[in-house]
Amino acid sequence: MKEVIENPASWDAVAVAYDSGARARTEPFSTAAIAWAGLGPDADVLDVACGPGTTTLLIAPHVRSVHAVDFSPGMIEVLQAHARGAANITATIGDGQALAFTANRFAAAFSMFGLVFFPDPVAGLRELLRVVRPGGQVFISCWVPFAQSPMMQVFGEAMRIANPPDPDAPPRPPPAWDTAEQLSGGLREAGFVDVEVRKLANEQSVRDGDHFWAEASGNIAVAHLRQRKGEAWPAIEAKVLAHLRPRLHGGATLAMPGLLGRGVKPQ
Ligand SMILES: C[S@@+](CC[C@H](N)C(=O)[O-])C[C@H]1O[C@@H](n2cnc3c(N)ncnc32)[C@H](O)[C@@H]1O
């Protein structure tokens, strides 16, 4: 899975589906980070691992400029389609671990649900530290462990049906960060001060099983599995839907909690 996650083409393949489903699920974290940052209209900001523009599109009306960076050309293309007409948005393809910006350039930087996918997330944080000016803020986010997330638990059930775990396979490595201690530890290790992490409950509504599974197609693990299973996929999906339809009959409100961390560059 590591090779899949670290390949921009995997993200290209889900860019449109991510935009139409997952973007609305992660927006509350961008909204909370933007409110926390309290930036004025003269601020220049950076959004790394911007995806289809989740944070960029929300913050652009309130600041002077937004530079959005993602290593997936497909994600940048979707963002550009949304941003048409917004003169203060610049979107470029680039690796978040080696940013093409001079030091001390931005008032604030955001990387929402992005750094956890980097081979070296702390290297990504050090780049954010480098490009914000002294006193500038950096915001990052990650999910809590699946066991503490009702939405992720339903997703996990569906994935176990789609791809029953091999009892002999080594356990999957945990994500780089999924606790407040790890998130704040990463920020401090990279050199940030005044580090604070907040947990957001993020209640989300789901219409039904079909809606849930259609949205899941924006997840790169599902997209990768579909590609691997080839002709077997329709039968697999039928089994997944047979589980999800009664499970989510009549709709549901499911919490999808996550952590939002903020660090400040020392003066
Ligand atoms: C889960 S999406 C998050 C998108 C958006 N920030 C949001 O909150 O909805 C993760 C994004 O990280 C990007 N990404 C992963 N590794 C990257 C890297 N090394 N450099 C830049 N972008 C990367 C992916 O292309 C994808 O758009």
Side-chain angles (χ1 to χ4, degrees):
M1 201 56 207
K2 189 168 153 22
E3 326 72 66
V4 176
I5 284 170
E6 291 173 12
N7 183 354
S10 309
W11 293 97
D12 289 345
V14 298
V16 171
Y18 185 95
D19 182 51
S20 60
R23 179 156 73 94
R25 307 289 188 200
T26 62
E27 265 181 354
F29 292 85
S30 297
T31 302
I34 292 166
W36 192 354
L39 298 164
D42 57 349
D44 297 312
V45 306
L46 175 66
D47 179 13
V48 170
C50 58
T54 318
T55 307
T56 294
L57 298 168
L58 290 169
I59 200 171
H62 309 290
V63 294
R64 181 166 53 205
S65 74
V66 191
H67 279 74
V69 177
D70 199 288
F71 78 166
S72 154
M75 289 286 187
I76 293 294
E77 205 176 301
V78 175
L79 189 162
Q80 278 167 334
H82 287 305
R84 214 173 295 136
N88 66 341
I89 297 178
T90 308
T92 48
I93 299 163
D95 184 350
Q97 295 161 115
L99 296 170
F101 297 105
T102 52
N104 307 326
R105 165 95 172 64
F106 298 101
F110 300 80
S111 188
M112 311 300 287
F113 303 104
L115 292 170
V116 277
F117 298 111
F118 293 9
D120 184 352
V122 175
L125 274 179
R126 289 204 179 99
E127 273 299 82
L128 296 175
L129 180 76
R130 182 180 68 78
V131 299
V132 293
R133 64 177 189 224
Q137 306 175 82
V138 164
F139 294 86
I140 59 171
S141 61
C142 67
W143 301 115
V144 300
F146 272 30
Q148 296 167 26
S149 175
M151 180 78 106
M152 297 299 194
Q153 278 175 27
V154 178
F155 179 71
E157 288 165 21
M159 285 304 275
R160 279 191 292 278
I161 292 167
N163 191 29
D166 172 358
D168 298 328
R172 290 251 313 265
W177 297 317
D178 62 9
T179 67
E181 292 69 32
Q182 289 166 340
L183 206 58
S184 55
L187 282 161
R188 288 199 189 93
E189 186 186 340
F192 289 96
V193 295
D194 292 338
V195 170
E196 188 181 333
V197 175
R198 297 177 182 175
K199 184 174 174 183
L200 269 66
N202 189 28
E203 297 279 338
Q204 294 278 335
S205 58
V206 178
R207 275 203 304 279
D208 54 33
D210 289 75
H211 174 219
F212 184 92
W213 191 240
E215 251 190 28
S217 64
N219 181 292
I220 60 171
V222 177
H224 179 61
L225 189 62
R226 180 177 53 225
Q227 196 191 6
R228 270 204 301 130
K229 297 290 180 179
E231 286 178 6
W233 188 245
I236 291 170
E237 278 206 303
K239 269 201 228 165
V240 171
L241 286 169
H243 169 78
L244 288 176
R245 282 178 181 145
R247 175 82 166 80
L248 297 171
H249 180 70
T253 300
L254 299 171
M256 195 181 183
L259 301 167
L260 177 60
R262 187 208 57 174
V264 176
K265 180 167 176 170
Q267 293 281 356

